[in-house]
Amino acid sequence: SRVAVDTTPPTVELVAHGPAYPLGGRLFVSSTSVLEITATDPVSGGVASGVEEVEFRVDPASGTPFTLFASSFTLPAGPHLVEFKTRDQVGNESALSSREVFVDTSAPASTLVIGTPQADLGGVVLVSPLTPLLVVSTDPTVAGAASGVRETLVAVDSGAFTAASGTFTLSGDGTRLVRFFARDNVRNTEEPREVALVVDGVPPVAVLLSPSPSVGGMDQAFGRGRVAVTATVADLHLCSY
């Protein structure tokens, strides 16, 4: 009879289903990500006895023992160390493998930075069509995990959200609504925020009242001494606030 000798250990790896973001030796996932440990017994010299069992444990520093892997699992928020190994049908055992897994459960936070010129009139912010605006997003570290900001999106009034890239300005004149939010690398998404700004694109109007600006179509000439001057200045938006 023929005897087949299997001398090659199986291979094993940790697989994430759902949002996942590998960064160096770390794996960032979300609270909805499902983890699975897969093992394969490679054919070597035409022989493979097959995988017999897979064992794993989470956070070995806390004294967690190895258990047989039976089904996929999730992890609570924060950093975790997952160790795993496998053995084939004839006792060939893989080396112990491990993976740092960071469960990020928090969405980014964004703010709108308003440049100059600007004027705050009792909570109403006026800007010009040249005022630079910038949405700044950060991904907070919560329970020791932060996957980082993946993208920031911005929209004006009822327009569609587009990826924010640097500063932008507002055109036109009147009240504009700037809406924005961010998403991190494991798809945690911030609730959209909005800021109302009044764009003042119309310059003020000055009117000379006294002395009369013209007499008979000709400018007036004055001699030495002081001349009292009266004028009015009106601004479309400043008059409203």
Side-chain angles (χ1 to χ4, degrees):
S1 62
R2 182 183 176 188
V3 177
V5 179
D6 182 359
T7 61
T8 305
T11 59
V12 62
E13 65 177 339
L14 179 69
V15 178
H17 300 283
Y21 177 63
L23 181 63
R26 299 178 172 184
L27 177 64
F28 289 88
V29 298
S30 76
S31 59
T32 63
S33 303
V34 176
L35 303 177
E36 181 182 9
I37 300 173
T38 62
T40 304
D41 194 27
V43 177
S44 179
V47 178
S49 61
V51 175
E52 179 179 6
E53 64 181 19
V54 175
E55 294 181 291
F56 81 107
R57 63 181 178 181
V58 178
D59 298 330
S62 63
T64 307
F66 278 100
T67 59
L68 290 177
F69 174 76
S71 61
S72 55
F73 59 97
T74 59
L75 293 173
H80 302 278
L81 180 64
V82 182
E83 292 185 337
F84 43 94
K85 59 184 178 179
T86 184
R87 184 170 61 250
D88 67 15
Q89 299 287 343
V90 294
N92 294 311
E93 188 171 298
S94 68
L96 180 64
S97 298
S98 64
R99 193 74 185 270
E100 287 185 287
V101 181
F102 291 76
V103 183
D104 181 356
T105 61
S106 300
S110 302
T111 57
L112 180 65
V113 178
I114 305 171
T116 56
Q118 63 162 284
D120 190 338
L121 305 178
V124 178
V125 179
L126 271 68
V127 298
S128 88
L130 301 178
T131 302
L133 306 175
L134 177 66
V135 178
V136 177
S137 303
T138 57
D139 193 30
T141 300
V142 177
S147 60
V149 175
R150 177 185 178 86
E151 59 183 352
T152 299
L153 297 103
V154 64
V156 177
D157 297 330
S158 59
F161 281 100
T162 59
S165 56
T167 60
F168 61 98
T169 57
L170 298 176
S171 60
D173 193 81
T175 301
R176 310 298 300 274
L177 189 64
V178 181
R179 301 177 293 133
F180 51 93
F181 69 93
R183 184 178 292 122
D184 68 18
N185 283 301
V186 293
R187 305 298 192 274
N188 292 313
T189 303
E190 176 185 20
E191 288 294 325
R193 302 169 183 260
E194 57 184 42
V195 174
L197 300 173
V198 177
V199 182
D200 186 355
V202 179
V205 177
V207 177
L208 179 63
L209 300 179
S210 176
S212 175
S214 63
V215 176
M218 299 180 62
D219 292 340
Q220 297 184 59
F222 299 94
R224 296 181 178 180
R226 295 183 177 182
V227 178
V229 176
T230 304
T232 62
V233 179
D235 185 274
L236 175 64
H237 293 289
L238 289 177
C239 289
S240 300
Y241 300 101

